[in-house]
Amino acid sequence: MSAVKAGLKAAKGAIDAHQYDAAIEHATKILKEDSKNYHANVFHGLALEKKGRNEESERAYKAATAVKANDPLAWQGLISLYEQQGGRKLNDYHDAVSRLATIFAETDDKTRCQTVVDKYTDFARKCGSRAQYRHSLEILLPDTGLYDYLEGRIPHPSHTYTRISEIVEQDEKEKINFEIGQRRTRLGAKIEKVTAEVKKEILQSSRLETLYQHVIDWTDDDTTRRLYEEKLLQHAYDTLIVLPAAEKASKRERVVRLAQGLVILKHPFHLAWKISLEWKDIEQLEELDAGLLREYIELFPEDGMGKVLRGYLESDTSPFPKRTPHKGENLEGEKEGSVMSAEDRLVLMTEGLEDSSTSTLANRIMSEYYLYLDEYETAVNVARKAQQQVVTDSQMSGLPLTGNSDAASILLGTALVQYQAPRYHPEARSLFDSILARKPANSSALIGIGLILEEHEDFNTAIDFLERALLQAPSTRIRAEAAWCRALSGDYSTGLAELEECLPHIDASDLRTKALKAQILYRIGMCMWRLDASKSSRKDRSKAYARFISSLQSDINFAPAYTSLGVYYADYAKDRNRARKCFQKAFELSSSEVVAAERLAQSFAKTSEWDLVEVVAQRVVESGKLRPAPGSKKKGISWPYAALGVVQLNKQEYPKSIVSYQSALRISPQDYYSWVGLGESYQNSGRYMAATKAFEQAQKLEQRLDSETLGDTWFSKYMLANVQRELGEYDAAIAGYQEVLALRNREYGVSIASLQTLIEAAWHNLELGFFGRAVDSVQRALTVAKDLVIWSKDAFNLWKSIGDLCSVYTYVQSYLNDLPAQDLRSLLSHDFDLETYILIAEVDGVDWAAFESSATGEDAGSILIYCCHAAVLAYKRAISCCAHDPHARAVAWYNLGWTEHRAHVCHQTKEPSSKEASVKHLKAAVQCFKRAIEQESGNSEFWNALGVVTTRLNPKIAQHAFVRSLFLNEKNAKVWTNLGVFYLAEGDSQLANDAFARAQSVDPDHAQAWLGQGLLAAQLGEVSEARNLFTHSFEISNASATQVQRSYASSTLDQILSSPITSSETTQLLQPLLALRQLSKQSLAGPTFQHICSLFLERIGEHAAASQKLLSLCSTLEAEYETSESRETLARFAQAKADLSRSQLAEQSFDSAVENAETALALSEEEDSTSAMRAKTRLSAHLSAGLAHHYQGSMDRSVEMFKSALEETQGDPDVVCLLSQILWVKGGKREQRVAREQLFDCVENHPRHAGIILLLGVISVLDDDQDTIEAVSDDLRPMRTRDDLSAQYSKQLTHVLNALAVLFPAEEYRAAAQLSEAMTAVMLRPSQQYGWSQLAGLTNEPNPARMALLTAIRKVPPGGTMSAEDLSEAYDETLRGEDAQKSIMLAPWRPSGWQALSQI
């Protein structure tokens, strides 16, 4: 024991001497001997503390406290140790302080106990976190045990709880913000949902409500208590909002209890009053406590709902008695006796609603007040907000709030019944039905449904609902409504009696019943009006009229009474001014007065005040009264939409007018005039198919409806014809115009439209190539013009159309003999002035005298000039008819200019050598276009026309005109093409190419642009490119493009002559022949194109037609030669004779062929021997004559002709072949020997000529000449691989080789030789039919025959040149019944097809 004491003494001495290591050593020795030695542990802990070994020191102190728990020394050491570590050990510090303070309290040492507590709380405040400081303050709370001992020495619990609550508030706020910030970044997170989840988690576990309650319980300060009561309520309310519906009940009870407590105390905390007022589930506002409402107003005078309540309580709609102030007392700061005006009240309540838009009560009150003011639209909007807010309040509070919901639904339904009735009646009906399903006796819902049924004209059912409502809540208003329904159902006498019974029950002094009285008086008047419809009764001012006046005396703003008075003044008093004023007043007061609006619109329309018509119709549309609700018996009203359509049609707002007419037709599908208006709108907007359907529907209605109802219906037929005209359905359009003219035979617009349509049909047929139809159209147009000129001789369009029909004849010159010259003369001479026709006559030389003189000729050329003169005079007269219309005058000069240009072109056709006669028209055209430009300089077409006619006269002006036209419209492909032609004529190839390329990019289907580029290519020597361009131009052009046809036919002929094709390839010749035939119809084609046409006809086997063409050509050339005696004409005549001989040879007219061939030879004898044309002519004549003599049997003459041909062609191999065949056919030994010699001599000079070698092969076979056969076979076999071998030679080669293989090998090798030749032919030319056919015939196998058929089918035009006979032969070889039938169908004249069919 002494050793322990000594050790303790030594340890304490070491500590005092700051020798802490020694102290640790001494203490350690003691503790080894006695680990529970209290002082050794204390000294050990203190020494370790001084050495900074805090954890070991803490263990030593705690060991000491375990030995002596009530000794303060070790606890004091622990506290000192914890203080040195700052905030790291504050939780342990708290436990140590609690124990040490308790020890001091047990020893009754208040000073030291207080010091320990104060020191700890101050240390926690400085060094700890907010949570640790809050924890330190908890030691001061009454439930710790120290409060009772230290009471008076430490802060009051209210202050402690306040501080703790402030700390917890701040912590929760930061935690909520932190969690929201963390979770909102998650994928798919929504801020509202995240916020609710976070608040629910934190507020549910919050201690704040307990802390607030402690503050309230302990504080002595009423201000603090009220403050924390507010906080307690707010926190409980916030918690209630985020709780699930199943957990809201208990929390809601607490919230309501807290709110009621604050309200009882009249504490101005808005949330408490809001809960007390908003959460009361009341169906009627009368159920509210008026005193509570007035207290709210006093406490919150500037609050939004306070303003609403103040205005409501002072209004006439308030069910609560108005507060009467005591003497000298002011209400809300107002002077005694002052009353708020209705306007000020409405402003106040409106401002209040803006500030309290989330208040259910405020929205309910304002909705009811707006209904009182008949502001139904605003009432609907506010009631919807109230309905939505009730749902929100129910979700937040967990209360069903059925009464509030029903009240809001009734307000909304009542407003919807009146607002734009009947648009929203289905919605209102559903609201009332849902209420009646739960509350069958609800009078408001019954009244609402009754009013809806009344609007839908279901009066009997409406009466039933109103009477049920009357049983629940007797009311004069309901009784009057039921009586009116009875009257509308047809029982006017009973309705009148019941309405009159209602009048005594109305308090005249009550402002709220004035409108009701006015309505009842008006309805009494209407019952009288309808009971007796006689004119005398309705004019009687003591009856209905008097009631309407009384109605207005009761309520000066009752609109229906004004409407009825307007009808009275308009129909019976005949006072239009008063009637119009009444209608205007009625419509100003209410846009639902449809009758007044219709009368106003009609009066405005009569005076063409279309803007006012639009205003009236648009306002009626916006009223919502037009469309009946689904299921309603009431008919819709369509006239406002139709009126809008008329106005918009007049303003050319076609898309809008379409919508308006469509809306009208949805309401009234049988509205005839709306269909007509819709069709006209579609037509003007370019939607012709839709317009057609609309007019057709209108015409269907004409058949169904009474003609008296529809009135005059010709306009729809006329408009439908216009649409058909726009669609290019000219026949239907003309028929439509004729149908209208049958009804209105002197309708100028219809007649001129018919005339113009006939002209347009003629131009259209001209473009399509239907020239006969075009002539028929202009002849019919001439008939119409003859009728029209009698009663409308000064119409511009009439004379323009006459000029057009004359111009049509100049484009179909083959029909000039059909020109009704006398009819034209009678038209032009009808009531005319000579001054009209001398317009620019000094330039073009065309006046009445010139016109008369041109009628003398009977040939086509003279008729053509006559027709041109007629067109010019017609356009001159058109100019005189539009003197006062600058635009029409400009167009007239433009038309005359093109007519002068056409006359110039026609003069060139008739008299190519007469330059002066044609140039005068060109100069006149220049003047015409200049005058058109003077009238309208911004028209690009005028400048283009000027450029065309000045291209030759003045190139500088022409270029300027084209450039100016393109400046005005650079998207015109025609102008670019004309500019390209101008550059081409001026020799600038690059600019011409650029212009043509630009034209093609602007319009790829403009044929003349491709034609111009083809001419440029031809000029540059690019023949193939030019031909392709001409072909493309022809393919995309119309039938009236004569220059395209000329160029295409010429280029095709050049191609044929440069690379001859066989006569079987006729498909390649059809298009150019078609072009030439169209050309011959349109113009007086010259000899050149007649000759070209005959050559094409010859090529396709039309020999008779070719002969006719050539005979006509010969006559023309002969007449021309007799006049001019030109050697060129003589040469062309000889060539025509040679060609005619060839055609007659093909027709087997051998005598004529010989005669014409000898004529050609005689005419060409004196020609220059170097002439290529002469050589071809003579060769053709010699061959034709030789063949004709051969077929006549004159072999000697035939041989002479061939020898002459051979001499002149210097041994041409083709001529040699023909001569050899003729000599061989003659049959003599000498002739056959001469034929062999000719062939052998020719083959030496032309070793690759296939015809000579083949002919030698045939002759050697016939002569059985083995040597020649072997030599020829060696030449024939390599020939099969030649690419330049034609199909005809290839076929002949196959046959000759096959014959050689059959006839000359030994008999046992013949079959193999034939098969070898056939297989070789197939291998070398597998795409040719003949090799497969031979192989099929030798093997009798089906596959080669099928291959022969397949290859033949692939060669069918346009894939090749396979003829019908060859294809029929391929079908024969398959030996199948169906193929035999096809063979017969293709070539029924071939016997082999019938034989093949008979063998199957």
Side-chain angles (χ1 to χ4, degrees), residues 13 29 336 508 953 1162 1256 1277:
K29 290 180 180 179
E336 183 178 358
L953 296 176
L1256 283 173
R1277 288 191 179 90

Side-chain angles (χ1 to χ4, degrees), residues 752-769:
I752 201 68
S754 176
L755 176 60
Q756 290 174 328
T757 305
L758 285 166
I759 299 299
E760 290 174 8
W763 289 115
H764 181 67
N765 287 322
L766 190 63
E767 291 178 354
L768 295 179

Side-chain angles (χ1 to χ4, degrees), residues 26 80 104 291 347 355-356 427 467 647 687 789 997 1008 1210:
H26 292 307
S80 175
F104 288 144
V347 171
D355 296 337
S356 58
E427 182 183 356
E467 288 179 347
V647 174
R687 299 167 64 179
V789 75
Q1008 281 70 20
Q1210 299 178 357

Side-chain angles (χ1 to χ4, degrees), residues 598-650:
E598 186 174 9
R599 295 291 188 109
L600 280 176
Q602 289 173 351
S603 65
F604 291 143
K606 289 178 181 178
T607 56
S608 298
E609 298 176 78
W610 297 111
D611 290 339
L612 295 177
V613 173
E614 183 179 19
V615 170
V616 172
Q618 187 62 45
R619 191 175 175 209
V620 176
V621 169
E622 293 172 354
S623 71
K625 290 283 186 180
L626 305 184
R627 299 179 187 273
S632 173
K633 297 179 181 179
K634 189 175 182 179
K635 294 183 179 179
I637 302 171
S638 63
W639 70 261
Y641 287 111
L644 281 176
V646 172
V647 174
Q648 291 157 353
L649 196 59
N650 288 335

Side-chain angles (χ1 to χ4, degrees), residues 290-318:
L292 189 66
L293 299 179
R294 290 193 172 93
E295 288 174 357
Y296 184 92
I297 295 170
E298 291 176 0
L299 291 173
F300 308 102
E302 299 302 322
D303 178 68
M305 193 165 72
K307 294 178 181 179
V308 172
L309 289 172
R310 179 184 170 189
Y312 177 65
L313 292 177
E314 293 185 10
S315 69
D316 295 333
T317 60
S318 172

Side-chain angles (χ1 to χ4, degrees), residues 1290-1344:
S1290 178
K1291 181 179 180 181
Q1292 293 174 357
L1293 176 61
T1294 303
H1295 286 308
V1296 171
L1297 289 173
N1298 188 47
L1300 293 175
V1302 171
L1303 297 174
F1304 293 102
E1307 186 174 353
E1308 63 272 15
Y1309 300 115
R1310 287 179 181 174
Q1314 285 183 279
L1315 185 62
S1316 175
E1317 289 294 338
M1319 294 177 67
T1320 302
V1322 169
M1323 180 186 69
L1324 293 174
R1325 296 185 182 272
S1327 62
Q1328 295 293 337
Q1329 167 200 0
Y1330 311 112
W1332 292 106
S1333 297
Q1334 289 181 0
L1335 186 60
L1338 293 171
T1339 60
N1340 293 325
E1341 291 287 336
N1343 289 333

Side-chain angles (χ1 to χ4, degrees), residues 168 355 381 407 444 587 596 665 856 906 1048:
V168 173
D355 296 337
N381 296 331
S444 298
F587 193 61
L665 289 169
T856 57
C906 292
Y1048 173 62

Side-chain angles (χ1 to χ4, degrees), residues 11 90 193 248 257 393 432 491 640 657 703 729 741 821 838 905 950 1086-1087 1156 1203 1248 1281 1295 1332 1349 1393:
L90 265 176
K193 185 177 180 181
K248 285 181 180 287
R257 186 171 62 252
D393 291 346
F432 293 139
D491 191 357
S657 67
Q703 301 171 2
E729 299 174 2
L741 289 172
I838 64 173
V905 174
T950 57
N1156 286 303
K1203 286 182 177 180
R1248 291 181 57 82
T1281 61
H1295 286 308
W1332 292 106
L1349 178 60

